[in-house]
Amino acid sequence: MSETTAGTATDEQITIYTAYEIEFMLSLRATENGAITREQIGLRSAPEEAREFVTAAVTSGLRARGKVARSADGQWVLGEEGQVVATALTAADRWLGIALAEGEAMRMAFVIKANDAILMLTQDELDSFAVSALPDRSHVPASVADIVIAFLDEGHERTVSLRRTDISAPDQAVPMMFHTEQDRTWRIGHLPLDDEGILNVSDVAREDIGEAVRLLWEDGVSRAPSAPGA
């Protein structure tokens, strides 16, 4: 997954940050949007009894990598790269969670928009993320569709779940799902939910996945591309 994401995101070097490092960067500037980012990507603070030790380890690691420095008054200051990442995470206004699942194995990625800035966080290991930048938000549908198609192409009975959240309604995530069956046919799960709270399922063609993702990302719409109004 990391190679696919990197190939569609940027030609620049991708930086790896641990979950605790991202949590530390978010903590330097507390915002409501940052709190939503923390929740969207599932960050958790270190246990109280270990917090001082974890913070010391995180700041030491970031400093050794040239990501932070001490100011004259003793405050931690992020380097140029860290400032870009932290600003986007704390000012985010749209989030797209991506879960790639095969059996019990799952990998996560997140596209985070803050005005015109777009970051992609790809789970590298259980507790770390590869952070890269997309050129602009118009590149998101094609980049995400590439990830979906590449993952489904690699095997049957695989699932990609998408969840789009917008700052205008942070408690109302819009879901979508893609799945490849045992017989290699592809399905899309989309709204509305049925009486049991399960997504409706329709057939989907490979060439329609990009449009389905575009509708979700740009308009917050979850439906089959062939549905009326699509």
Side-chain angles (χ1 to χ4, degrees):
M1 177 182 164
S2 296
E3 292 180 0
T4 301
T5 303
T8 56
T10 178
D11 292 331
E12 298 178 2
Q13 182 177 358
I14 295 175
T15 301
I16 304 296
Y17 288 98
T18 69
Y20 281 140
E21 287 174 338
I22 295 175
E23 164 70 19
F24 172 75
M25 293 163 69
L26 284 168
S27 71
L28 293 178
R29 181 189 173 206
T31 66
E32 291 184 11
N33 301 54
I36 297 172
T37 293
R38 183 182 284 107
E39 185 66 26
Q40 287 294 312
I41 63 181
L43 293 180
R44 296 292 180 265
S45 299
E48 184 65 37
E49 61 273 16
R51 194 161 300 167
E52 184 176 349
F53 170 79
V54 170
T55 299
V58 166
T59 52
S60 295
L62 288 171
R63 192 171 191 176
R65 293 160 59 201
K67 305 298 184 183
V68 299
R70 281 283 196 184
S71 66
D73 60 357
Q75 300 298 312
W76 288 111
V77 178
L78 294 171
E80 182 178 356
E81 177 190 85
Q83 288 183 30
V84 171
V85 173
T87 297
L89 296 179
T90 57
D93 52 50
R94 186 175 301 167
W95 301 261
L96 181 68
I98 308 167
L100 310 183
E102 181 180 22
E104 297 297 319
M106 180 180 292
R107 299 290 295 276
M108 298 293 297
F110 305 89
V111 178
I112 299 173
K113 182 180 88 68
N115 298 315
D116 292 328
I118 305 286
L119 291 182
M120 180 174 282
L121 278 64
T122 305
Q123 190 177 43
D124 184 64
E125 299 294 343
L126 183 61
D127 63 345
S128 62
F129 296 91
V131 181
S132 57
L134 291 174
D136 60 64
R137 58 187 177 186
S138 67
H139 287 72
V140 172
S143 296
V144 174
D146 284 348
I147 294 170
V148 172
I149 291 170
F151 183 71
L152 296 183
D153 264 341
E154 291 176 0
H156 56 267
E157 297 188 325
R158 290 183 165 204
T159 301
V160 180
S161 299
L162 305 177
R163 182 191 68 230
R164 187 246 202 205
T165 306
D166 195 85
I167 192 63
S168 62
D171 297 326
Q172 299 177 20
V174 182
M176 181 178 283
M177 175 271 291
F178 295 99
H179 181 75
T180 178
E181 303 285 359
Q182 178 72 35
D183 62 3
R184 299 286 184 169
T185 56
W186 290 17
R187 305 280 190 260
I188 179 173
H190 55 86
L191 294 178
L193 301 176
D194 65 17
D195 293 340
E196 297 181 355
I198 299 173
L199 291 171
N200 275 269
V201 178
S202 304
D203 292 335
V204 67
R206 173 198 301 267
E207 58 268 22
D208 291 332
I209 286 180
E211 177 62 11
V213 173
R214 186 193 68 78
L215 287 169
L216 181 66
W217 171 252
E218 295 181 358
D219 302 328
V221 172
S222 172
R223 64 180 174 223
S226 58

